[in-house]
Amino acid sequence: MPKEKIGVLCSGRGSNLASIIDAVERGDIRAEIAVVLADKADAYALTRAREHSIPDVAVVRKAYAAREDFERALLEQLHAHGVTLVVLAGFMRILSPLFVRAYAGRILNIHPALLPSFPGAHAHRDALAYGVKVSGCTVHFVDEGTDSGPIILQAAVPVAEGDTEDSLAARVLKEEHRIFPAAIRLYVDGRLRTDGRQVHILPLAEGGAL
């Protein structure tokens, strides 16, 4: 069976990308990272990709007048590299139905909150303002809404007295680095079945590797 080819979309430093690269290089994720795309030319994620001999391409949003043209350029790169699974690792843009439909059921995202609470770009700020005692992170399939797709994995992180956005984000990020590769592995191994909003994790096949 051919390996999944992963396309990773990033906007910044790419720390989640690094955890995925590590998992692939260890053999935990039996897939190939075919390309890393960033919407900013100076995104450090592109440097991380080059350090591991992974093709990297900057598709700069400002170079395109319309969002649809920008997304078509992203899709062109993903198709050119044979990508079968799209992973959003700190990609700070909402994808339109045009993009989502092109890879329907084949886009995973990591969000730094326990969805459905606190969707959007300011999850840590919103969680602290609300006064929650537990936050965390969520890996989910991407649909045409904002952080609204079916949930694959979640991890809880207690909120400490005196937490700031930065201190909470740092602790949540450690869990992101743990559960995002785990969710990608489940997908690649064919162990996810979606039934409406429910994502069922199938047992390992008899004799399957742990």
Side-chain angles (χ1 to χ4, degrees), residues 75 96-107 144:
L75 290 170
S96 76
L98 168 77
F99 189 102
V100 173
R101 290 169 189 168
Y103 277 92
R106 297 183 293 151
I107 309 173
E144 294 181 16

Side-chain angles (χ1 to χ4, degrees), residues 41-115:
D42 61 350
Y44 188 66
L46 298 172
T47 300
R48 291 188 193 272
R50 286 193 289 273
E51 288 172 348
H52 293 266
S53 301
I54 298 168
D56 66 283
V57 182
V59 182
V60 179
R61 173 64 182 92
K62 291 180 181 178
Y64 300 88
R67 180 170 73 162
E68 290 76 11
D69 294 332
F70 166 66
E71 291 189 352
R72 287 190 184 97
L74 291 174
L75 290 170
E76 182 179 325
Q77 288 294 333
L78 294 171
H79 294 153
H81 288 87
V83 168
T84 57
L85 173 65
V86 177
V87 170
L88 310 181
F91 187 65
M92 302 304 292
R93 298 191 181 275
I94 302 298
L95 295 170
S96 76
L98 168 77
F99 189 102
V100 173
R101 290 169 189 168
Y103 277 92
R106 297 183 293 151
I107 309 173
L108 305 186
N109 182 48
I110 183 85
H111 181 73
L114 294 175
L115 293 173

Side-chain angles (χ1 to χ4, degrees), residues 7-52:
V8 186
L9 274 58
C10 304
S11 292
R13 57 189 176 142
S15 69
N16 270 304
L17 168 65
S19 71
I20 296 164
I21 291 173
D22 288 347
V24 169
E25 291 182 345
R26 287 195 307 267
D28 293 345
I29 298 173
R30 292 182 284 274
E32 171 192 347
I33 301 177
V35 67
V36 171
L37 304 180
D39 61 347
K40 299 173 183 175
D42 61 350
Y44 188 66
L46 298 172
T47 300
R48 291 188 193 272
R50 286 193 289 273
E51 288 172 348
H52 293 266

Side-chain angles (χ1 to χ4, degrees), residues 89-164:
F91 187 65
M92 302 304 292
R93 298 191 181 275
I94 302 298
L95 295 170
S96 76
L98 168 77
F99 189 102
V100 173
R101 290 169 189 168
Y103 277 92
R106 297 183 293 151
I107 309 173
L108 305 186
N109 182 48
I110 183 85
H111 181 73
L114 294 175
L115 293 173
S117 298
F118 314 119
H122 302 288
H124 299 305
R125 180 197 69 187
D126 296 344
L128 291 172
Y130 202 85
V132 297
K133 303 304 182 187
V134 177
S135 188
C137 50
T138 303
V139 183
H140 63 95
F141 285 106
V142 173
D143 62 10
E144 294 181 16
T146 301
D147 298 322
S148 58
I151 291 168
I152 301 169
L153 292 176
Q154 292 183 301
V157 175
V159 177
E161 286 290 331
D163 253 339
T164 64

